Amino acid sequence: MPKKKSNFRQDAKSIIVQVKEPDELLSFLFKVMPNRSRNSVKSILGRGQVMIDDTIEKQFNYKLKPGQTVTILKNKAAIKQDALIGLQILYEDDDILVINKEAGLLSIATEKEKRHTALHQLMKYVKRENPDNRIFIVHRLDKDTSGIMLFAKSNDVKRKLQDNWKTMVKERTYVALVEGKVSKKEGYITSWLRETKTHVMYSSQTPNDGLLAKTRYKFIQGNADFSLLEVNLETGRKNQIRVHMQDLGHPVVGDKKYGSKERNAIGRLGLHAKLLAMHHPTTNKLMTFEADVPASFIKKSK
């Protein structure tokens, strides 16, 4: 007598199958994914990409019952992402996690806000799979800056990334929507950055009077009111791009702290971390992560 077929649905993120008869989970997965190798299927199960009725299950011999729903996530980052607010996971493996952070979300806690941060949400996210899991912040983005952020999954990986940042990170590219028409198509800004007692950064041209900061920029498009620039960091100082755009005479849109005097035309800070290219801390493979330029930046600079 032929076996009954399982109900089967597939989309860009997952395969969803309704269980029709008793089976062990691994055996069931082999049948559902006949084109994958046995090791590949085992890896998917072991990485926590399989859910039974919305609960992650890793046991190969889990006893399936008729009526249960098995969801196979094509990307581990899709697990429970619906619970994340203000960020999207772009990549995840056993060592690192890369996100696209929205403007308005804090990277880490402050005295006033402890929970609605990228770090707090991601800590809860990884603990759903294992209560012992942790997340470590490698670098920060300002609250009102959007784009690529990198996190480590162990303290050892965090230290390796931070201690070797200059050699492991090959490119950090931002886009900045700035006020006015930038006449020079590309430029190079260097200064020494210092911080006031009120935590405002400022430039000094006196050698060694602060931390050396180097920024390259390239004009993408613009009009009489706004310019869209591609900005590459050679150093990663606090508020570096914002200070250097102020030095250029074209402050970042919405940046009252660093020289903006115009009405904020986009309702946010005009700064976005577009690209991060880096060598993986374990495999040494060169990896590139990108986050699309906000539509408002493009629209205002046309």
Side-chain angles (χ1 to χ4, degrees):
M1 180 177 178
K3 290 184 178 180
K4 295 179 182 179
K5 292 183 179 179
S6 299
N7 290 340
F8 184 100
R9 286 190 292 121
Q10 185 168 216
D11 57 30
K13 293 182 178 179
S14 61
I15 298 170
I16 302 169
V17 190
Q18 191 81 21
V19 179
K20 287 296 187 179
E21 56 189 34
D23 205 344
E24 286 195 353
L25 181 54
L26 185 59
S27 172
F28 181 84
L29 294 176
F30 288 150
K31 297 168 189 172
V32 171
M33 296 183 283
N35 295 327
R36 285 186 174 269
S37 69
R38 296 178 69 88
N39 285 339
S40 174
V41 174
K42 288 178 181 178
S43 295
I44 288 171
L45 183 57
R47 286 196 301 265
Q49 289 174 237
V50 177
M51 294 192 297
I52 312 297
D53 295 334
D54 297 324
T55 299
I56 295 170
E57 182 56 61
K58 293 184 176 182
Q59 293 298 317
F60 290 6
N61 61 350
Y62 178 90
K63 305 296 184 184
L64 291 170
K65 300 175 183 176
Q68 289 182 306
T69 300
V70 177
T71 302
I72 305 157
L73 294 155
K74 296 180 181 179
N75 184 337
K76 187 180 177 184
I79 302 172
K80 300 294 184 182
Q81 281 220 53
D82 55 343
L84 301 174
I85 300 171
L87 65 91
Q88 176 191 8
I89 296 174
L90 301 179
Y91 177 81
E92 180 182 5
D93 61 25
D94 292 338
D95 300 300
I96 62 173
L97 192 152
V98 181
I99 70 166
N100 180 13
K101 184 186 84 68
E102 294 179 9
L105 179 67
L106 286 164
S107 296
I108 61 172
T110 64
E111 290 183 3
K112 294 182 179 179
E113 180 57 64
K114 305 294 184 185
R115 300 178 65 83
H116 187 56
T117 70
L119 181 63
H120 181 79
Q121 291 190 70
L122 292 172
M123 192 74 79
K124 289 179 65 177
Y125 166 79
V126 298
K127 284 180 178 292
R128 288 193 188 102
E129 184 175 335
N130 185 333
D132 293 330
N133 286 347
R134 295 187 65 192
I135 282 288
F136 299 83
I137 196 158
V138 176
H139 67 112
R140 304 179 192 180
L141 289 181
D142 294 337
K143 176 183 176 182
D144 296 316
T145 300
S146 58
I148 302 288
M149 273 191 77
L150 171 67
F151 294 83
K153 285 190 163 185
S154 71
N155 200 36
D156 287 343
V157 170
K158 172 195 171 181
R159 283 200 304 266
K160 183 174 182 179
L161 285 164
Q162 290 181 335
D163 292 347
N164 301 281
W165 189 255
K166 289 183 178 179
T167 56
M168 295 182 73
V169 174
K170 295 304 176 186
E171 183 180 346
R172 291 178 71 191
T173 301
Y174 289 70
V175 287
L177 183 69
V178 301
E179 295 177 355
K181 182 69 176 287
V182 176
S183 57
K184 197 175 179 182
K185 295 303 180 185
E186 56 184 54
Y188 187 57
I189 305 168
T190 63
S191 69
W192 281 263
L193 296 187
R194 294 180 60 86
E195 187 170 10
T196 68
K197 292 180 180 179
T198 55
H199 308 295
V200 176
M201 305 300 291
Y202 66 95
S203 280
S204 169
Q205 290 301 323
T206 303
N208 301 313
D209 183 27
L211 297 172
L212 181 61
K214 300 179 181 181
T215 305
R216 292 187 183 274
Y217 73 87
K218 183 169 64 175
F219 178 85
I220 301 173
Q221 65 182 34
N223 50 47
D225 300 313
F226 304 102
S227 297
L228 188 64
L229 306 180
E230 182 177 278
V231 183
N232 288 98
L233 293 179
E234 291 191 15
T235 58
R237 309 304 184 191
K238 180 181 177 181
N239 296 162
Q240 177 177 323
I241 295 174
R242 298 167 65 181
V243 176
H244 278 174
M245 293 302 101
Q246 181 184 38
D247 293 346
L248 188 64
H250 296 277
V252 173
V253 168
D255 197 355
K256 299 297 184 184
K257 187 175 182 179
Y258 293 107
S260 173
K261 295 181 173 60
E262 303 296 329
R263 181 182 67 85
N264 190 336
I266 59 173
R268 55 158 292 182
L269 187 72
L271 191 58
H272 175 75
K274 174 189 173 185
L275 183 146
L276 173 67
M278 54 169 280
H279 287 286
H280 191 280
T282 302
T283 67
N284 201 41
K285 179 183 177 182
L286 183 61
M287 309 184 77
T288 301
F289 306 103
E290 293 191 61
D292 291 341
V293 179
S296 60
F297 288 25
I298 298 170
K299 182 178 178 180
K300 285 295 178 182
S301 59
K302 279 187 176 178

